Amino acid sequence: MDLAAEYNNRALVPGHPQIIARWHRDAAAYRDRHGGEFGIPYGARPRNRVDLFRGTDGRGEGPLIVFIHGGYWRSFDKSSFSHVAGPANAVGLDVAVPEYTLCPEVTLADIIDEIRQCCLFLGQRTGRRLVVTGHSAGGHLAAAMAATEWQLYGTRPDLIQACLSVSGLFDLRPLMTTAYNDDLRLSPSAAAAASPLLWPMSNRMPFESWVGAEESFEFRRQARSLAAAWAGLGLSCHYEEVPGENHFSIGDLFSRADHPMTRRLLELARG
């Protein structure tokens, strides 16, 4: 297997620039239309910022949905994903969209710690539990939050109510053989330490792993692997391949209220 090709989504989807440009446009339009609290600091580094989009009824009830962006931990920021809050906001749910420091400025372990810091901040600020979701690298980070032993960080052990990961990577060891590792700088021990598939999972929550049916074998294998592993540990898990969707187009589904993936996310938030 050519792992470099399997993990090179931009080469696998020639139309990715048009999809990414649409994310930028839709996100900016949603901010202009809906408003929100932008650039709230949750940590000391410049990119430790989170945007908060309130539900249309303004009651602030129910869990807070946290959407974590992707980009192989080395690109993008929160400004390209504001529009993913739309379906949840429309039914009265609040959505937080954080960003984080990118590799190679920091390590993957640092990024995991930053998103933990953000979740702690959001839990303390709102007094609510969190439903974590994310795409690609964000799907990995969402799973890392689901598997975190939050009592070790001085907060409630059930801080995370549910997790829905889209096109996530959960065993990072294969990435050591790709050019991405020039920025990620993963050693065997660092890759294992940042891989939720290899972590103990003592938390109990619903876990969903979705992936595009048109994605590479490796991305589909990765998405399937964690759902299978955590189901074996007794979690309520679901794995689904979405017909016709590639690694980038599946990201559009977060803003489609009528899609089963988005409906499932809202169901998880309603408990």
Side-chain angles (χ1 to χ4, degrees):
M1 181 182 296
D2 185 347
L3 287 177
E6 286 286 309
Y7 285 100
N8 189 346
N9 288 305
R10 297 197 177 209
L12 291 169
V13 184
H16 71 269
Q18 291 79 18
I19 298 172
I20 293 171
R22 183 167 64 247
W23 295 347
H24 294 321
R25 291 194 302 270
D26 291 351
Y30 190 75
R31 287 194 301 276
D32 290 343
R33 180 172 70 254
H34 185 83
E37 294 181 65
F38 305 134
I40 306 166
Y42 68 81
R45 293 186 176 120
R47 285 178 60 101
N48 292 167
R49 300 292 184 269
V50 58
D51 293 345
L52 185 60
F53 300 91
R54 300 287 186 182
T56 52
D57 62 12
R59 292 182 296 177
E61 296 177 351
L64 175 67
I65 295 176
V66 181
F67 174 87
I68 309 168
H69 73 80
Y72 261 127
W73 308 275
R74 54 203 275 280
S75 64
F76 292 133
D77 60 50
K78 58 185 175 58
S79 69
S80 299
F81 302 96
S82 308
H83 58 300
V84 304
N89 287 165
V91 297
L93 293 167
D94 296 348
V95 178
V97 183
E99 68 185 32
Y100 46 88
T101 313
L102 302 175
C103 296
E105 182 179 346
V106 296
T107 66
L108 259 141
D110 294 326
I111 294 173
I112 292 170
D113 283 342
E114 287 187 1
I115 297 299
R116 283 188 182 129
Q117 187 176 7
C118 183
C119 288
L120 288 167
F121 167 79
L122 292 169
Q124 292 165 358
R125 188 179 197 259
T126 66
R128 289 184 277 161
R129 298 175 72 195
L130 311 178
V131 172
V132 288
T133 187
H135 174 238
S136 195
H140 158 268
L141 293 167
M145 297 306 102
T148 292
E149 297 183 36
W150 290 102
Q151 65 274 18
L152 302 180
Y153 296 85
T155 193
R156 57 190 297 176
D158 63 347
L159 177 64
I160 307 301
Q161 176 172 310
C163 176
L164 189 149
S165 173
V166 178
S167 305
L169 297 176
F170 311 115
D171 180 355
L172 305 189
R173 292 172 297 180
L175 295 178
M176 291 188 299
T177 68
T178 73
Y180 297 112
N181 208 36
D182 293 345
D183 287 338
L184 303 181
R185 296 172 291 156
L186 292 170
S187 65
S189 60
S195 296
L197 182 67
L198 307 180
W199 296 4
M201 177 52 164
S202 58
N203 300 326
R204 290 295 174 267
M205 69 186 70
F207 174 70
E208 303 262 337
S209 184
W210 293 61
V211 68
E214 302 304 315
E215 299 199 49
S216 71
F217 171 85
E218 273 294 278
F219 267 84
R220 288 179 284 117
R221 181 190 67 80
Q222 289 260 4
R224 186 169 57 248
S225 67
L226 193 62
W230 284 0
L233 296 176
L235 276 72
S236 173
C237 294
H238 175 74
Y239 167 75
E240 182 137 351
E241 294 186 11
V242 185
E245 303 295 346
N246 62 51
H247 186 75
F248 294 93
S249 66
I250 197 170
D252 289 334
L253 304 183
F254 282 102
S255 60
R256 284 181 46 188
D258 61 336
H259 194 274
M261 189 182 84
T262 306
R263 292 203 304 268
R264 182 57 183 147
L265 176 62
L266 300 183
E267 289 170 1
L268 292 171
R270 296 186 184 105

